[in-house]
Amino acid sequence: MERAAQQAVPLGQMEVFQALQRLHMTIFSQSVSPCGKFLAAGNNYGQIAIFSLSAALSSEAKEESKKPMVTFHAHDGPVYSMVSTDRHLLSAGDGEVKAWLWAEILKKGCKELWRRQPPYRTSLEVPEINALLLVPKENLLILAGGDCQLHAMDLETGTFMWALRGHTDYIHCLALRERSPEVLSGGEDGAVRLWDLRTAKEVQTIEVYKHEECSRPHNGRWIGCLATDSDWMVCGGGPALTLWHLRSSTPTTVFPMRAPQKHVTFYQDLILSAGQGRCVNQWQLSGELKAQVPGSSPGLLSLSLNQQPAAPECKVLTAAGNSCRVDVFTNLGYRAFSLSF
Amino acid sequence: MSSESSKKRKPKVIRSDGAPAEGKRTRSDTEQEGKYYSEEAEVDLRDPGRDYELYKYTCQELQRLMAEIQDLKSRGGKDAAVEIEDRRIQSCVHFMTLKKLNRLAHIRLKKGRDQTHEAKQKVDAYHLQLQNLLYEVMHLQKEITKCLEFKSKHEEIDLVSLEEFYKEAPPDISKAEVTMGDPHQQTLARLDWELEQRKRLAEKYRECLSNKEKILKEIEVKKEYLSSLQPRLNSIMQASLPVQEYLFMPFDQAHKQYETARHLPPPLYVLFVQATAYGQACAHRKSSQPPRQDKMLSVAIEGSVDEAKALFKPPEDSQDDESDSDAEEEQTTKRRRPTLGVQLDDKRKEMLKRHPLSVLLDLKCKDGSALHLTFYYLMNLNIMTVKAKVTTAAELTTPISAGDLLSPDSVLSCLYPGDHGKKTPNPANQYQFDKVGILTLRDYVLDLGHPYLWVQKLGGLHFPKEQPQHTVITDHSLSASHMETTMKLLKTRVQSRLALHKQFASLEHGIVPVTSDCHYLFPAKVVSRLVKWVTIAHEDYTELHFTKDIVEAGLAGDTNLYYMALVERGTAKLQAAVVLNPGYSSIPPIFQLCLNWKGEKTNNNDDNIRAMESEVNVCYKELCGPRPGHQLLTNQLQRLCVLLDVYLETESHDDSVEGPKEFPQEKMCLRLFRGPSRIKPFKYNHPQGFFSHR
C-alpha cells in the first residue's frame, strides 16, 4: 500500500476534490430492483447509483462492471432510505420522498416520477426521513424520521392518510409485522413502539433502555435498528442488540456485541447485524456469535438481502456504510468483491 | 605573144628597184602615164585558173624544146646549130613567161595572206566582243539571282492579323478595295499601319519616360527630405532620453534589449518574446491608468552577450574531440585510472552547461512582493530550467514551520499537477546521462534550477510524456493560453505562499488569524484553542495510524508539505494531520483527525469525527473566504475548533456518571442528532447563530 502511494500520480484540483468526496462518502441506503438484477445505493451527497449485480456476478465481470452503470443526483441531502415496489424505486432523505421508475432508470433516463412531502409542522429545519416501509397489502408507504411521527401515504393516490404520534425524539427505523398488520418503530428516544395499522393506534411500547440487561448508558438510549419475525423482535443501537419476545415484552437474548448496531435482519434461523466495525455479524438465536465476516468499510449502515425469486443467480447479501463501497457477499461467509461509486 | 612579154617587163622594172624606178618613172612619166599598170591590179584581172593552164602549157613547151635541142645535139649537123639557136630563143621566151607567172603567184600569195590576216583580225575583234557580252550576261544573271534572293526585313516584323488590320486600320491606310486582291499592296498597307502604330507607341513610350523621370525626381527630393529628417529625429531622441527616464517609459532600453535578445538561444528567445508580449498586453489592459513603474511583469536579459556571440561560431570539431577522448580513454584506462573521475566530472560539467544568457522575469504582486524567475537553457540537454526567488516588501520573521514555504527549491513545485521539476522532461537526456554516469538530474537541480514542464512549454519546447496522459485537465487550463495561465498560477502561488508564511507565524503562537471578512463563518465564542502547529516529515505522516485513508487514496505524495496541529479544549485533545498540497489554495489542505477524549476516536470508530473531517475537507469551498482564498487554511483550523466545541458540547451525557458535564452546552442547536449516523449539528448558520445539520 505504501508503494502504491509513492507511485500515485499527483492530482489536480478536480481529482483531489473527487478523491476527497469519495473518501468522505457514506452509503446510507440500498434497494434491490424488482427484477433482482440491479442494486440501487444512495449516499450522503444525495446521489443514487445503480449497480448491475448480474454483470458484476457474471463470469466475465470486469472492473467496470463493479462501477455504477448510472449515477444520478436524486436529493439535495443524503439519501437515508430507499425501497422498491414492483415498478418504482422510492427514495427519501431530506424530508421528501421521490419516486423513480425502475424501467426508466435502467434505460439511464433518470427523471423523477413524483415527489411528496409529508405534512410537517413548520420548523427551522426540514425533518429528515430515516425510514421507509412498504405495507403491500394496504398499498401503503410509511415514512418516519425527524418529526417523530409515522406518516402513512397511500401509494395509489399519493395522499397522506394519517400520522402516528408518540415518539419523543426522531425515529430511526421501522419494521412490519406481517401477520397482524402492525408496524414497529424505534427511535432516538430509546423506545420501540408497536402501532396497529387498522386502528392507527399505539398498541405497545417497549422502553429498551430501561431494561438493565441491555441498557448501555454510555452509548445512549437510541434504537438504531429493528427487525421482527412474528412474535420476535430484535433491536439494537445505544442499548445492546437484544432479542425480544413481543407478547411478553421481555428481552430473551442479549447479544454480546459492544459496538452499536445500525442494521439488523432475520435470515432463516439466523440474525444478521451490522454497525460500527468492519464485520457483518451472524448470530444464533441463542446468542452465540456464529460468524463475523469482515467487509471493506470501517462502519456499516445497511444490509440488503437480495431474495428476489426472479434472479436466483443474484442471490447475494450486500452491505454498505462509511465508504464509497458496497460489499457483496456471495454466501454468508465470504465477501466476494466490492461495488464502488 | 609580144604583148605578153612587154607586159611582163614593166612590173619587173618597178619592182626590181624603187629609186631607179622613180627615175624611170620620171623619165617615162610622159610616155608611160596612161600605160602604167601594176602587176597587183593585173593579178585581180587575171584568172588564176588560166594562169595555171598557161603554166602547164609553158612547162610542156619547154620540155619539148629541151627534148628537140637534145635531139638536135645528138644528131649533130650544121644546120642543127641554127635550129638549136632558134630553139633556144623560144625557150627563153617561155622562161620569161614562167617568171611572170611566178611573180603573179607570189603577189597572189601575198594578197591572200593579207586577206586572211585581215579576216582573222576581224574574227578576233568579234570574238572579243562576244566574250564581253557573255561576261555582261553572266553578271546580269548574278545580279538577277541576287535580287531574287533578297530577303526583305519586313518579313520579320510581326504584323497584326489580317482581320484585325481591316477592322482597326483607318480606310486611308487599309484601302480595302485596292489591297484586297493585291497581296503586295496589302502587305505594304499593313506595314504602313504597323509603322503608324509603332509611331504612336513610341510617342507613348516617350511620354512615359518623361513621366518616370519626373517621378524619379520627386522621389529624389523626398528622399533628400527624409534623410535630412534622420539627424533631426536622432537629436530629438537624444533630447527625449531624460524625459523617458523621468516618465518611466524605457523605449530605448527595450530597443537595446531586443538587440540582445537576438543572441538568445531559441527557447529563451521564445520565452522572452512571449513574456514581453504578455507583459505589454497586461499593461495595455489597464491603459486607462497612467503608466506606472510597478508593472506587473518585467522581462530582462542577463549574462554576457560576447560569450553568446562566441557560441555562434562553429565549434572546433567537438565530435572529433569526443571520439578522440573516447579512444584515449580506452587507452589510458589502465594507466591513468585516478584521472578518470576528473574526466567524467569535466564531461558532466560540459553536459550540464548553461547558455551564457538567461532571461530574468520579475512578477510583481500588488503588495510589493515579487517573484524573480531566472530561466536558463542547458545547451547540451536541450531543456530549460528555472530558479525562483521571492522577495517581499517588508522583512518577514520566518516561522520555523514555514521553512519550506518560500525556499527556491519548493516554491514552484507542482505548479501544474505532478510537475515537481526533479526529473528531466527530455527523454533523450537519460541516454546522455548514462554516458557520463549521472543517475538523475535530481542531484543537480539545486545548482541548475528546476526543469519544470511548464518552463519547457513557455520556451516552446515540447517533449513526449513518459506515460500516456490519463489525468483529466479541466477546460479552464485548456482554453486559456499557456503563458497567461502560467503567469496567473505563478502569481497566485507566490501570494498564497506569502499568505501562508504570515499565517504560520501566528499559528505557531497558537493564534488562528481570522480576518474580519471571514468572521461570519464562525460563532463569536470559540472555546477550543490551537496549541501546536508544527511541520512533520512525509514519512512521519504516513506512519500515523489515522492517516491511512489519505495515503491509500494517493493524496499524500512526497511533494506535499505536512503539518500537525493540536487543538485542545479541557481534557479533549484533537490531533489534526494536515496535508498541504503545493497547489494550495486551489487544492485544499486535507485534515485527518484523531480525538483523544474518553478513548481515542478517529473516523474509523466515530461517525462524527468522520463528519468533522468531511466538514473541513469536502465543504472547504465555503471556508475560502474572499477571493483568492488565501484564508482557507486558517479558516479550516478555526472551523475545526468550532467543530470540536460542537462535538464536545453535544456529547450525550451519561446519566449514570455523577457530577456536572465537563462541557456544558453553550451552542444553540436545533437538534442534537440526525440521520442514521447520528451526526451532530456541525453547520453554523451565520446571522441567527444556531447550529444545524447539513
Side-chain angles (χ1 to χ4, degrees):
Chain A
M1 210 42 86
E2 185 81 18
R3 223 157 47 89
Q6 293 279 321
Q7 284 170 355
V9 189
L11 306 165
Q13 186 180 354
M14 274 311 289
E15 289 89 57
V16 168
F17 184 66
Q18 278 163 3
L20 284 173
Q21 265 204 333
R22 281 167 59 84
L23 210 57
H24 292 95
M25 190 183 290
T26 305
I27 299 175
F28 283 109
S29 52
Q30 309 174 56
S31 179
V32 178
S33 69
C35 65
K37 289 180 181 163
F38 301 97
L39 178 74
N43 70 7
N44 57 329
Y45 302 116
Q47 294 167 320
I48 294 176
I50 311 293
F51 299 95
S52 169
L53 285 175
S54 55
L57 285 164
S58 73
S59 52
E60 58 256 22
K62 287 174 239 141
E63 273 309 302
E64 294 91 73
S65 46
K66 290 167 189 171
K67 288 273 168 195
M69 48 184 282
V70 58
T71 306
F72 57 98
H73 201 266
H75 292 265
D76 289 334
V79 183
Y80 285 134
S81 181
M82 285 195 294
V83 289
S84 288
T85 68
D86 48 0
R87 285 179 63 215
H88 300 142
L89 172 70
L90 307 174
S91 67
D94 48 352
E96 270 185 325
V97 58
K98 294 186 182 183
W100 317 80
L101 261 181
W102 266 111
E104 274 188 28
I105 290 173
L106 298 180
K107 276 187 261 162
K108 304 188 178 174
C110 306
K111 245 186 96 191
E112 64 176 67
L113 197 63
W114 47 259
R115 61 165 88 185
R116 296 280 183 277
Q117 188 168 21
Y120 295 127
R121 276 168 293 172
T122 50
S123 159
L124 272 177
E125 209 179 31
V126 178
E128 79 279 13
I129 297 169
N130 284 326
L132 294 174
L133 184 70
L134 278 173
V135 186
K137 274 185 196 161
E138 323 244 331
N139 204 13
L140 275 184
L141 177 71
I142 297 175
L143 307 89
D147 67 343
C148 316
Q149 301 177 26
L150 283 82
H151 296 278
M153 192 185 98
D154 185 4
L155 278 176
E156 194 83 42
T157 58
T159 51
F160 288 92
M161 301 166 69
W162 37 257
L164 301 173
R165 295 186 189 88
H167 278 286
T168 56
D169 207 335
Y170 76 90
I171 299 168
H172 273 286
C173 49
L174 294 170
L176 179 70
R177 279 183 89 187
E178 296 206 24
R179 232 181 291 163
S180 54
E182 281 176 354
V183 170
L184 285 81
S185 64
E188 184 72 17
D189 58 357
V192 174
R193 292 169 201 270
L194 266 90
W195 312 85
D196 191 326
L197 285 180
R198 288 164 298 197
T199 58
K201 290 269 162 54
E202 185 174 342
V203 182
Q204 193 182 350
T205 307
I206 302 171
E207 290 180 304
V208 178
Y209 64 96
K210 287 187 177 163
H211 291 76
E212 265 185 36
E213 300 95 316
C214 50
S215 143
R216 290 188 295 195
H218 60 278
N219 278 342
R221 297 168 175 179
W222 54 278
I223 299 296
C225 55
L226 194 63
T228 177
D229 190 10
S230 65
D231 277 348
W232 301 99
M233 181 268 285
V234 62
C235 67
L241 189 69
T242 317
L243 183 68
W244 292 77
H245 188 248
L246 279 177
R247 221 175 282 167
S248 57
S249 14
T250 46
T252 313
T253 316
V254 178
F255 299 98
M257 170 53 64
R258 292 189 52 179
Q261 296 298 293
K262 299 282 175 69
H263 194 102
V264 69
T265 180
F266 285 96
Y267 177 65
Q268 292 165 356
D269 52 350
L270 290 174
I271 291 171
L272 308 178
S273 78
Q276 199 61 258
R278 291 188 171 271
C279 299
V280 175
N281 307 304
Q282 301 173 17
W283 307 95
Q284 310 275 14
L285 291 180
S286 56
E288 283 169 52
L289 184 64
K290 192 194 170 213
Q292 274 194 311
V293 189
S296 64
S297 309
L300 293 174
L301 287 170
S302 69
L303 296 174
S304 163
L305 266 164
N306 183 6
Q307 286 172 314
Q308 291 292 340
E313 76 278 8
C314 299
K315 193 179 168 198
V316 290
L317 171 71
T318 50
N322 287 344
S323 76
C324 57
R325 293 176 291 276
V326 181
D327 296 338
V328 178
F329 300 82
T330 43
N331 62 47
L332 284 185
Y334 170 64
R335 179 176 77 92
F337 55 86
S338 298
L339 305 166
S340 171
F341 257 83
Chain B
M1 209 52 218
S2 61
S3 67
E4 271 175 42
S5 60
S6 65
K7 275 179 192 173
K8 279 178 195 170
R9 261 177 219 151
K10 287 263 171 137
K12 190 180 164 183
V13 174
I14 293 165
R15 240 173 103 228
S16 60
D17 43 12
E22 262 228 12
K24 268 181 198 172
R25 207 183 290 169
T26 48
R27 179 189 67 187
S28 59
D29 248 352
T30 48
E31 62 180 307
Q32 284 186 339
E33 187 81 81
K35 293 174 204 178
Y36 174 75
Y37 70 93
S38 72
E39 274 185 325
E40 278 97 348
E42 197 189 346
V43 168
D44 293 338
L45 302 176
R46 286 176 72 111
D47 183 38
R50 285 176 69 185
D51 279 349
Y52 178 61
E53 291 296 319
L54 181 64
Y55 169 66
K56 259 186 350 196
Y57 169 73
T58 316
C59 283
Q60 276 169 355
E61 280 299 303
L62 264 176
Q63 276 171 343
R64 192 192 47 97
L65 285 171
M66 281 312 163
E68 279 175 7
I69 293 170
Q70 201 178 357
D71 222 21
L72 284 168
K73 280 223 179 139
S74 38
R75 271 181 286 150
K78 303 170 191 147
D79 46 4
V82 178
E83 279 207 32
I84 293 174
E85 197 50 36
D86 187 42
R87 297 253 160 64
R88 202 194 49 127
I89 296 165
Q90 277 179 357
S91 299
C92 277
V93 170
H94 280 302
F95 267 115
M96 285 307 287
T97 318
L98 268 180
K99 265 185 150 181
K100 166 97 179 165
L101 277 176
N102 189 29
R103 264 192 326 267
L104 280 176
H106 271 290
I107 289 167
R108 272 204 188 105
L109 182 68
K110 189 179 173 273
K111 216 176 181 175
R113 250 188 209 150
D114 280 353
Q115 270 176 351
T116 311
H117 184 74
E118 211 172 301
K120 190 181 172 263
Q121 255 182 344
K122 227 181 217 169
V123 167
D124 277 354
Y126 281 133
H127 185 75
L128 196 66
Q129 199 178 355
L130 176 70
Q131 294 243 313
N132 281 343
L133 286 174
L134 276 177
Y135 183 79
E136 205 172 330
V137 166
M138 217 157 67
H139 176 76
L140 285 173
Q141 270 172 347
K142 241 188 228 169
E143 285 295 306
I144 288 166
T145 42
K146 224 190 242 175
C147 286
L148 285 177
E149 279 167 15
F150 175 73
K151 259 187 130 50
S152 172
K153 230 177 184 166
H154 85 268
E155 284 166 38
E156 290 163 21
I157 298 171
D158 237 354
L159 294 173
V160 289
S161 68
L162 260 180
E163 302 88 66
E164 214 177 313
F165 165 68
Y166 281 116
K167 214 163 65 191
E168 286 177 8
D172 58 321
I173 290 178
S174 66
K175 288 181 201 139
E177 65 284 356
V178 184
T179 55
M180 266 309 199
D182 186 353
H184 178 70
Q185 287 297 329
Q186 191 179 50
T187 312
L188 278 180
R190 283 172 75 188
L191 281 171
D192 277 345
W193 175 232
E194 183 72 25
L195 178 68
E196 182 69 28
Q197 274 178 320
R198 283 186 186 209
K199 269 181 187 164
R200 278 186 216 165
L201 286 175
E203 188 64 30
K204 216 179 222 171
Y205 172 68
R206 250 200 312 282
E207 263 172 45
C208 288
L209 264 187
S210 66
N211 241 357
K212 182 186 153 193
E213 201 70 19
K214 222 188 278 173
I215 290 165
L216 271 178
K217 252 180 212 162
E218 267 173 49
I219 289 172
E220 200 60 36
V221 168
K222 281 180 185 169
K223 256 187 191 166
E224 234 163 73
Y225 173 70
L226 284 179
S227 59
S228 74
L229 220 55
Q230 175 72 27
R232 276 162 65 193
L233 282 176
N234 274 345
S235 63
I236 291 172
M237 284 287 281
Q238 208 62 36
S240 73
L241 270 182
V243 183
Q244 279 184 33
E245 264 167 49
Y246 183 72
L247 292 173
F248 307 111
M249 295 187 297
F251 296 125
D252 236 35
Q253 266 179 38
H255 196 68
K256 262 177 215 159
Q257 220 169 42
Y258 294 150
E259 266 308 296
T260 323
R262 288 194 308 144
H263 301 291
L264 285 173
L268 284 180
Y269 184 76
V270 170
L271 170 76
F272 172 79
V273 171
Q274 292 299 325
T276 318
Y278 179 68
Q280 282 170 358
C282 283
H284 279 301
R285 215 174 289 163
K286 24 181 117 166
S287 54
S288 54
Q289 297 166 10
R292 297 181 311 174
Q293 186 185 8
D294 50 342
K295 250 187 355 185
M296 305 303 269
L297 180 73
S298 63
V299 190
I301 298 172
E302 268 192 350
S304 149
V305 180
D306 293 338
E307 269 181 59
K309 274 183 192 159
L311 275 178
F312 272 106
K313 287 173 193 159
E316 298 116 30
D317 302 330
S318 58
Q319 195 60 46
D320 279 2
D321 275 1
E322 203 166 310
S323 58
D324 277 359
S325 64
D326 275 355
E328 203 178 320
E329 203 172 292
E330 270 169 36
Q331 282 174 2
T332 57
T333 30
K334 276 169 194 156
R335 275 187 290 134
R336 298 193 301 180
R337 194 166 281 277
T339 59
L340 197 63
V342 181
Q343 273 187 13
L344 265 180
D345 240 26
D346 286 347
K347 275 193 177 178
R348 275 178 214 157
K349 265 183 208 159
E350 173 65 26
M351 180 158 292
L352 300 174
K353 214 169 142 192
R354 298 195 289 225
H355 193 273
L357 291 179
S358 55
V359 172
L360 197 73
L361 218 69
D362 283 358
L363 205 61
K364 287 181 186 125
C365 303
K366 279 179 192 125
D367 58 357
S369 55
L371 175 66
H372 306 278
L373 295 172
T374 316
F375 292 92
Y376 299 102
Y377 177 59
L378 304 187
M379 294 178 289
N380 292 324
L381 297 180
N382 189 28
I383 53 173
M384 287 169 74
T385 60
V386 67
K387 274 188 181 178
K389 208 181 132 210
V390 177
T391 55
T392 48
E395 197 60 41
L396 285 179
T397 53
T398 307
I400 306 150
S401 57
D404 277 348
L405 278 182
L406 294 177
S407 79
D409 192 28
S410 73
V411 67
L412 297 181
S413 171
C414 295
L415 195 64
Y416 288 90
D419 192 4
H420 47 67
K422 299 252 164 84
K423 246 171 41 183
T424 168
N426 188 352
N429 290 163
Q430 202 50 53
Y431 300 103
Q432 292 173 291
F433 290 160
D434 286 349
K435 229 176 170 182
V436 296
I438 298 175
L439 281 178
T440 160
L441 198 64
R442 186 186 282 256
D443 310 329
Y444 298 90
V445 286
L446 262 186
D447 186 38
L448 294 172
H450 290 265
Y452 296 114
L453 274 175
W454 57 266
V455 179
Q456 321 302 323
K457 284 186 181 152
L458 287 189
L461 292 173
H462 182 75
F463 300 111
K465 291 195 174 64
E466 274 178 9
Q467 51 208 107
Q469 184 86 347
H470 46 71
T471 50
V472 185
I473 300 163
T474 54
D475 278 353
H476 173 71
S477 60
L478 263 181
S479 59
S481 69
H482 207 86
M483 177 58 103
E484 186 160 14
T485 334
T486 306
M487 287 305 150
K488 279 182 180 157
L489 281 174
L490 284 170
K491 237 166 87 179
T492 41
R493 167 63 59 90
V494 172
Q495 281 171 340
S496 71
R497 285 293 164 102
L498 285 171
L500 279 179
H501 200 267
K502 271 188 218 154
Q503 289 161 7
F504 280 14
S506 53
L507 287 181
E508 272 180 11
H509 293 99
I511 301 157
V512 181
V514 178
T515 52
S516 56
D517 43 10
C518 292
H519 273 314
Y520 72 92
L521 290 169
F522 310 107
K525 189 180 176 191
V526 180
V527 188
S528 302
R529 285 281 163 257
L530 177 74
V531 291
K532 207 170 84 178
W533 174 260
V534 288
T535 171
I536 58 171
H538 174 229
E539 294 75 27
D540 296 342
Y541 180 87
T542 52
E543 276 162 22
L544 288 171
H545 63 278
F546 55 94
T547 56
K548 229 176 81 194
D549 290 344
I550 298 292
V551 176
E552 279 174 21
L555 294 168
D558 56 354
T559 51
N560 299 330
L561 302 167
Y562 296 91
Y563 300 94
M564 180 66 87
L566 185 63
V567 180
E568 276 189 5
R569 178 172 176 186
T571 56
K573 289 183 167 48
L574 180 69
Q575 278 183 294
V578 185
V579 184
L580 188 72
N581 196 292
Y584 178 84
S585 56
S586 61
I587 298 174
I590 302 167
F591 287 72
Q592 285 295 93
L593 305 178
C594 175
L595 176 65
N596 279 296
W597 185 61
K598 295 183 179 173
E600 197 177 67
K601 288 166 182 175
T602 66
N603 62 16
N604 254 334
N605 57 20
D606 193 327
D607 286 344
N608 278 305
I609 296 291
R610 199 159 179 266
M612 284 162 70
E613 285 176 358
S614 155
E615 283 288 326
V616 285
N617 289 342
V618 180
C619 307
Y620 69 92
K621 276 174 186 156
E622 60 201 48
L623 297 171
C624 285
R627 286 181 68 84
H630 295 320
Q631 308 301 321
L632 177 58
L633 180 69
T634 52
N635 285 350
Q636 276 178 317
L637 281 167
Q638 181 72 1
R639 179 102 178 95
L640 209 55
C641 296
V642 176
L643 291 175
L644 184 61
D645 279 354
V646 173
Y647 183 91
L648 295 173
E649 287 177 20
T650 56
E651 193 60 17
S652 57
H653 190 242
D654 187 348
D655 294 331
S656 62
V657 180
E658 294 288 313
K661 277 173 140 185
E662 188 187 352
F663 306 111
Q665 190 182 335
E666 291 167 346
K667 305 270 185 292
M668 192 173 29
C669 303
L670 291 177
R671 275 168 65 186
L672 290 187
F673 299 101
R674 180 181 158 120
S677 300
R678 306 183 68 240
I679 302 297
K680 299 180 179 201
F682 288 124
K683 186 182 171 194
Y684 177 69
N685 294 282
H686 164 54
Q688 300 90 350
F690 66 88
F691 283 85
S692 68
H693 290 88
R694 190 170 292 280

